[in-house]
Amino acid sequence: LKSGDPSIFGRATEELDAGKDADIPVEVVPGITAASAASAMMGRSLTERGETDTVILATGTCRPGDAAPDWAHHVRGGTTLAVYMGVRNAGEISLNLLRAGASASTPVDLACDVSTPQQRLIPATIGTLKQTLTEHGIKGTTLIMIRFPKSADQAGVVAA
């Protein structure tokens, strides 16, 4: 039994295959993915007419030896970026986003323990991401939500 959406960075395929190989009956009951729950908690849509029309769900933790996500591809006006499992690699993620053209002042919402009684929303920026996580003692179960609105892109704040 898994919480949330087992099909989003939850190794569902591997686990379903293992169950089938072992002749164990498996039922998948999808839940609400953390990005949707975080959006509801923030009181803001994942997309916003005229500002963001693309949502990217990216992992911040890959298997050992796998290449990291192409952060430069994600830093585009009109994009909402939801980074799952990114706390441990937050320093590297923010550095790569900056190298890709994001502004250090780009707002970041840290959605912690989403859809639980302990949920909280902590503001940061790409430039303060790692420091903010450390200051608040955040170690896991946090979604890193970043918006690159089209208006910021037109102002030259994010890479084209």
Side-chain angles (χ1 to χ4, degrees):
L1 179 63
K2 291 186 169 277
S3 62
D5 185 343
S7 300
I8 304 292
F9 305 115
R11 298 186 308 257
T13 302
E14 296 168 27
E15 292 166 353
L16 288 168
D17 288 346
K20 288 175 192 172
D21 291 346
D23 291 324
I24 298 171
V26 179
E27 178 184 5
V28 176
V29 180
I32 297 173
T33 193
S36 291
S39 175
M41 178 180 74
M42 292 185 294
R44 181 173 65 226
S45 297
L46 287 171
T47 59
E48 181 184 345
R49 194 180 312 239
E51 287 293 347
T52 54
D53 52 25
T54 301
V55 178
I56 295 174
L57 308 178
T59 181
T61 302
C62 298
R63 292 182 306 181
D66 283 356
D70 181 359
W71 299 109
H73 181 73
H74 302 329
V75 179
R76 301 199 185 284
T79 301
T80 298
L81 175 60
V83 181
Y84 288 67
M85 302 178 299
V87 171
R88 181 179 32 184
N89 297 321
E92 179 183 328
I93 292 167
S94 60
L95 182 61
N96 284 315
L97 291 171
L98 293 170
R99 286 180 181 152
S103 169
S105 63
T106 300
V108 174
D109 291 302
L110 301 171
C112 308
D113 298 313
V114 175
S115 72
T116 73
Q118 296 79 28
Q119 76 178 12
R120 57 191 170 137
L121 184 63
I122 299 169
T125 65
I126 290 176
T128 65
L129 177 58
K130 187 174 178 183
Q131 175 186 341
T132 302
L133 289 165
T134 300
E135 287 173 359
H136 288 271
I138 299 169
K139 300 207 183 294
T141 323
T142 297
L143 198 62
I144 301 169
M145 303 288 290
I146 308 167
R147 290 177 72 239
F148 299 107
K150 290 179 180 180
S151 58
D153 189 41
Q154 293 166 354
V157 178
V158 295

